[in-house]
Amino acid sequence: MELSLQCALNTGAFFRTGEASTVNGQFFVKRDGKKWARMIFDGEFESLKAIHETNTIRVPKPITVLDNPLGGAVIVMEYISMSGLFGLPARLGEQLARLHLHNEEVTRKCDPEKYVEKFGFHCVTCCGFIPQDNTWFSDWVTFFEQKLQWQIDIIQDDRELLDLWIKLKVKIPSFFEGLDVKPSLLHGNLWHGNTAQTPDGGVVFDPAAFYGHSEFDLALSNMFGGFHFNFSDSYHKLIPKSPGFDTRSKLYQLFHHLNHWNRFGTEYRSSSIELMETLIAM
């Protein structure tokens, strides 16, 4: 494995997992020995690359993904010295908004051939270790419904969940009435644990990117303690809330509760069921 890394980084020196110091500088190396590691890291690589190319919010620049002969894979990326996000939530909120606006306001106007007009992504990405079907759809509601359906299909044998899903699915289009959703490049897994700061500003990492509704990123950012209110205030100065925002936030949080149910077990069952009952009653 070290020989493969030495060749990929064009160096004769490689020291340790995590921060990798070489004669050509420092890199960050993530290893995963599981059989699905290559799929996870390929998706992370493409996600980082897409966000990096917008020049809106800082992410570690991806370098390469390699198979590990001993099993699994590694991803190599730019090494960034960073600390917890303490003093820059407002700046990060502005940067996230600019990421979400980039496809519509920059690409469409300045490089229309690269404008993304559908919802999805060009490869599978993973939220945690769970693969996300990013098949392109021209309609956001249809795309998001299939994201929820995938999570529910993984859970399978829960009669209460399936009965609630039948009722909720027919209501979902009503949450978007009068709303013209434009495809925005999303981080896809934006919670405070995937953010940090450097002396130059905020940085985000571990994305599961796709083109979707900008509000989707905000839903997870408000879970698990969330961000300082300056983050939201700064974001909404550039992208104001649309009618029905709070209801859709619950809908998008449902995706993450279901995803956590599938990742961590039934401790997230009650919160998922409660969210579904709340949405059905709206």
Side-chain angles (χ1 to χ4, degrees):
M1 186 71 252
E2 291 189 7
L3 179 60
S4 298
L5 285 167
Q6 289 167 2
C7 293
L9 302 178
N10 191 27
T11 180
F14 176 74
F15 295 99
R16 61 189 178 89
T17 301
E19 178 187 351
S21 299
T22 78
V23 294
N24 292 321
Q26 292 177 296
F27 301 91
F28 186 78
V29 180
K30 285 170 60 176
R31 299 175 187 249
D32 190 331
K34 299 180 180 66
K35 61 182 180 180
W36 53 73
R38 181 70 194 229
M39 175 183 63
I40 292 174
F41 288 155
D42 282 343
E44 183 176 354
F45 181 97
E46 293 299 324
S47 297
L48 290 169
K49 179 182 176 184
I51 296 172
H52 182 268
E53 288 176 349
T54 68
N55 197 33
T56 56
I57 188 168
R58 188 172 184 186
V59 294
K61 182 179 180 180
I63 307 298
T64 190
V65 178
L66 299 168
D67 291 321
N68 187 339
L70 300 178
V74 301
I75 181 171
V76 183
M77 63 190 78
E78 171 191 14
Y79 174 78
I80 301 175
S81 179
M82 51 192 172
S83 59
L85 186 68
F86 299 112
L88 298 170
R91 175 63 175 150
L92 189 67
E94 176 189 344
Q95 291 172 313
L96 181 67
R98 295 197 183 282
L99 170 67
H100 291 167
L101 291 169
H102 188 271
N103 186 49
E104 189 68 22
E105 294 196 350
V106 178
T107 305
R108 188 169 194 171
K109 295 176 181 178
C110 301
D111 198 354
E113 291 187 358
K114 293 184 179 180
Y115 175 70
V116 177
E117 60 184 3
K118 293 185 177 182
F119 302 94
F121 204 57
H122 61 273
C123 70
V124 171
T125 54
C126 296
C127 196
F129 61 82
I130 297 178
Q132 306 300 307
D133 181 0
N134 291 321
T135 301
W136 295 101
F137 282 86
S138 58
D139 172 64
W140 166 248
V141 174
T142 303
F143 176 82
F144 185 66
E145 283 179 353
Q146 63 89 25
K147 284 181 73 67
L148 288 176
Q149 184 70 63
W150 172 243
Q151 295 290 337
I152 288 168
D153 288 346
I154 296 173
I155 296 169
Q156 292 184 338
D157 298 326
D158 191 299
R159 176 48 55 188
E160 185 178 12
L161 173 73
L162 295 176
D163 288 344
L164 288 171
W165 174 235
I166 292 171
K167 297 176 183 178
L168 176 59
K169 189 172 182 179
V170 297
K171 287 205 67 173
I172 290 177
S174 69
F175 300 146
F176 296 88
E177 288 180 355
L179 193 65
D180 184 18
V181 179
K182 302 293 186 183
S184 295
L185 180 59
L186 307 182
H187 179 283
N189 192 21
L190 188 69
W191 67 294
H192 64 82
N194 285 343
T195 67
Q197 68 182 45
T198 72
D200 300 322
V203 57
V204 298
F205 44 88
D206 288 351
F210 62 95
Y211 283 86
H213 189 194
S214 57
E215 292 177 1
F216 180 88
D217 264 349
L218 297 182
L220 181 56
S221 73
N222 290 323
M223 294 169 60
F224 311 119
F227 293 88
H228 191 276
F229 67 87
N230 286 345
F231 172 86
S232 295
D233 289 349
S234 179
Y235 179 92
H236 289 301
K237 284 180 181 179
L238 293 177
I239 305 180
K241 291 182 180 180
S242 298
F245 173 89
D246 291 336
T247 298
R248 290 188 297 275
S249 182
K250 289 182 173 61
L251 180 66
Y252 295 147
Q253 287 178 354
L254 173 62
F255 167 83
H256 292 292
H257 280 269
L258 291 170
N259 189 63
H260 277 64
W261 182 349
N262 280 315
R263 290 174 61 191
F264 303 117
T266 54
E267 63 184 284
Y268 286 93
R269 181 186 185 277
S270 60
S271 60
S272 300
I273 295 297
E274 182 178 347
L275 270 172
M276 294 179 82
E277 291 174 337
T278 299
L279 287 163
I280 290 167
M282 286 180 165

